[in-house]
Amino acid sequence: MRVRSGVAAALVLATATAGLAACGSGGASGAKAPFKIAFVPGVANDAYYGSVACGIRAAAKKTGSSVKVQAPKSFTPADQVPVVQAVIATKPDVIIIAPTDSKALYAPLKRATSQGIKVVLVDTTLQDPSLAEAEVTSDNVEAGTVAAQTLAKLLGGRQGSVLTVNLSAGVTTTDDRAKGFAQGLAAAPKLTYLGQQYSNNSVQTAASIVSGTLAKHPDLAGVFSTAAFNTEGTVSALKSANKSSAVTVVGFDANPPGIKQIQDGQVAAQVVLKPYDEGVAAATQAVNALTGAPVQKKTETGALVATKTNLGTPEVKKYLYSFTCPAG
């Protein structure tokens, strides 16, 4: 999709096109609310998933349905699979989940559907999402493209190398962000793209990647980080090398620490997704599937870019990630 002028406008277009998608068939049960909704986020203590949970609760409240959140301690299938197994044992009506791996979570979720528990995917997805009633996510390829355009603009025609620090292979959202970034950076011929390296969810590994890249490529001008772990490691490595002012960082983190990184000048920009909107959409489609109403099989929400300049604007503040749910 061609990016129109204006960062926010480009990503909002993804939301509009999602509404044109054909609706899938709803669930056949025709059950009546209230329902037991289980939410399994990618990891505990992450304000992004806190905002998703707020959206789920807001939509569930309309039908009097309950929401129980059970989260793994780390963003890995090794920790998430046992959580899913425990959730299945509680026999919820539906599991809304952000899979930590596109393949490893298929079998346990298939076990859930075989027991009559419906599944809705939120944020991340599966390599084969056919078992799910619906998918709700952001257009992460488009978001990655805009991240590249943002970085190129911030560098202002400067020559140099650019690196992507990614999370781990098999995480659909971050893989798509890296893909979109590579596509977007192709339009900046003065910048040499070094490709991506994986931190495997480790702040220390991310820091080591950036330190090693600085040693090999002293012309490093920019770093694109696909997730909060990577950004934290990147900031640490640049600080240790006294390169914070020489290397421009664009990240994907509107959690409180990510916002502080902007305020402190450690990160030039953060791509901000709309997890609250994702939560509302996921719970809405879950209830539709349970009641037999039409289900939209795939919904894509928009995103925007936060910088020190626009951080205090209502549009950006509205979407900063938080465990505190909006009133109402």
Side-chain angles (χ1 to χ4, degrees), residues 8-138:
L11 285 168
V12 166
L13 187 59
T15 307
T17 55
L20 299 177
C23 293
S25 59
S29 65
K32 294 183 179 180
F35 300 111
K36 290 170 58 181
I37 299 174
F39 173 43
V40 181
V43 66
N45 302 317
D46 187 315
Y48 176 91
Y49 292 118
S51 290
V52 175
C54 285
I56 292 172
R57 288 192 173 100
K61 185 178 179 181
K62 295 180 179 179
T63 60
S65 297
S66 63
V67 179
K68 186 172 182 180
V69 180
Q70 291 183 249
K73 62 182 180 181
S74 70
F75 193 91
T76 62
D79 280 337
Q80 193 180 44
V81 169
V83 172
V84 172
Q85 292 170 336
V87 167
I88 291 172
T90 68
K91 301 187 184 302
D93 295 297
V94 61
I95 296 173
I96 299 175
I97 183 171
T100 55
D101 186 276
S102 61
K103 296 179 181 178
L105 270 296
Y106 182 85
L109 291 175
K110 185 67 175 178
R111 192 174 306 118
T113 60
S114 70
Q115 296 182 28
I117 301 170
K118 297 189 181 298
V119 171
V120 171
L121 306 175
V122 66
D123 182 37
T124 49
T125 187
L126 299 172
Q127 186 177 62
D128 177 8
S130 60
L131 61 75
E133 300 295 326
E135 300 173 72
V136 180
T137 188
S138 302

Side-chain angles (χ1 to χ4, degrees), residues 155 158-162 190-193 219-222:
L155 290 174
R158 174 183 167 190
Q159 290 184 322
S161 299
V162 173
K190 290 187 177 182
L191 297 174
T192 302
Y193 188 42
D219 69 335
L220 186 67

Side-chain angles (χ1 to χ4, degrees), residues 146-158 191 221 248-251 267-270 305-309:
V146 172
Q149 294 172 335
T150 300
L151 180 58
K153 184 177 180 180
L154 288 167
L155 290 174
R158 174 183 167 190
L191 297 174
T248 300
V249 180
V250 173
V267 172
Q270 301 276 18
V305 172
T307 64
K308 187 176 282 190
T309 302

